[in-house]
Amino acid sequence: MKPIAAEDRKVANINTGTYEPFLSDNGTPDGDVLQVNPNNKRGYGFHVYRMEPGQTTVAHRHDGDEEFLVLEGELFDHDGYRYGPGDLVWLRDGTEHCSTSPGGCLLAVYLPGTGAVGTE
């Protein structure tokens, strides 16, 4: 096999990489994202999502199943369900929710589709 060409590989470190703001469909800031695939809209496909302490996400409904792994911190859904480090989570397509993180958190996320549909 040939070596992988530089233009065919992109690597970012979750500790030192540059996180970019994720904006909801209405333009509201909604956490920060680190992702390497330039072919996906920011915050979709596979990415790392960071919430600052005390942050609450915009209420939304996903177009496609949402899957995430809690890497650091804890996250509470609007119904009080708590997710902690090591929890691997699946939420069915069409599930409506918003989440809050009192101390901040870091999630590895896979989110297919073209975007979330706001419930506001």
Side-chain angles (χ1 to χ4, degrees), residues 24-112:
S24 69
D25 286 343
N26 67 8
T28 303
D30 201 15
D32 297 310
V33 173
L34 175 68
Q35 73 188 65
V36 293
N37 186 338
N39 299 318
N40 286 329
K41 180 178 173 183
R42 187 178 304 156
Y44 296 91
F46 181 73
H47 60 280
V48 177
Y49 180 74
R50 180 177 63 193
M51 292 177 66
E52 296 297 331
Q55 181 182 339
T56 299
T57 64
V58 172
H60 58 280
R61 178 176 37 87
H62 287 283
D63 179 17
D65 295 343
E66 177 183 18
E67 299 174 73
F68 62 90
L69 171 65
V70 181
L71 301 171
E72 299 173 2
E74 60 183 359
L75 183 70
F76 293 86
D77 259 335
H78 67 286
D79 60 3
Y81 196 97
R82 177 198 174 273
Y83 309 107
D87 285 345
L88 182 60
V89 181
W90 168 79
L91 297 175
R92 185 184 305 276
D93 174 24
T95 300
E96 296 181 354
H97 71 127
C98 68
S99 306
T100 189
S101 183
C105 66
L106 194 64
L107 311 174
V109 179
Y110 178 73
L111 187 61

